[in-house]
Amino acid sequence: MSDRFRRLETRIGGLVLVEPRVIADDRGFFFETFRADEYAELGIDVPFVQDNHSRSVRGTVRALHFQLEPGQAKLVRAARGSIWDVAVYLRRGSPTYGRYEAFELSDENARQIFVPVGFAHGFCVTSETADVAYKVSSYYDGATERGVAFDDPAIGIPWPVEEPLVSDRDRSNRTLEEIAPELPW
């Protein structure tokens, strides 16, 4: 068992919430953000091929994105600031289909969430500014990218912002019911 990382409980199978051991002193802190051998022991045994980084201001909602075949698993963390990170289960026929789970990720708690293929993913910035860094298991492909409406009433995500800043593209995402026939899972 690793002394560097701890797996925390989640409600939806497949999601893995990781808490690294942070070594801090009066100079600052250090922690490992990824270690393939120990992450495999936690259930994250994915060959990541691309790293992404976004910066957003308070109230920004970036959601709810996923890719069709081959899908795209993500390992997400807030490198600066804090976000309310959301994953929605998209595998039809499952009792958790259409359900979401949300986690606070911040530079203070250093937690990361692994979002496997078969989930839509998004987040809301809850600090003045947030830098979000994430690894993905397949290259970005605009032809296979899809999104679910961030405000889909059937999912019922209570985003922690009254007037979200949302891109035009994300505002045009369809509901889960409308996009369900395209889902490969």
Side-chain angles (χ1 to χ4, degrees), residues 56-184:
S56 306
V57 298
R58 182 187 301 277
T60 297
V61 171
R62 294 183 184 264
L64 293 160
H65 307 144
F66 66 96
Q67 286 197 177
L68 303 173
E69 296 298 331
Q72 190 179 68
K74 298 176 180 177
L75 180 61
V76 183
R77 70 185 183 93
R80 177 172 78 163
S82 61
I83 63 172
W84 194 68
D85 199 83
V86 179
V88 178
Y89 198 60
L90 300 180
R91 294 183 180 272
R92 294 173 292 172
S94 167
T96 53
Y97 172 72
R99 292 194 185 159
Y100 74 90
E101 191 162 0
F103 308 92
E104 180 192 20
L105 304 180
S106 71
D107 58 6
E108 294 288 320
N109 68 25
R111 291 179 177 170
Q112 300 174 45
I113 187 68
F114 172 70
V115 181
V117 171
F119 282 80
H121 172 261
F123 62 86
C124 177
V125 176
T126 56
S127 57
E128 284 303 312
T129 304
D131 283 359
V132 177
Y134 55 103
K135 296 182 168 306
V136 295
S137 65
S138 64
Y139 298 109
Y140 172 78
D141 180 358
T144 67
E145 185 181 36
R146 298 291 185 276
V148 177
F150 76 97
D151 56 354
D152 184 339
I155 300 171
I157 299 170
W159 296 100
V161 61
E162 288 187 31
E163 295 184 32
L165 300 171
V166 181
S167 70
D168 290 340
R169 185 186 77 168
D170 284 353
R171 285 201 184 278
S172 67
N173 287 341
R174 297 173 287 159
T175 65
L176 183 54
E177 182 180 348
E178 293 168 328
I179 205 160
E182 294 181 44
L183 297 176

Side-chain angles (χ1 to χ4, degrees), residues 21-39:
R21 181 174 56 112
V22 178
I23 301 165
D25 61 23
D26 58 350
R27 299 169 298 159
F29 67 86
F30 170 84
F31 67 95
E32 293 179 6
T33 62
F34 179 73
R35 186 177 168 117
D37 59 345
E38 293 193 21
Y39 272 56

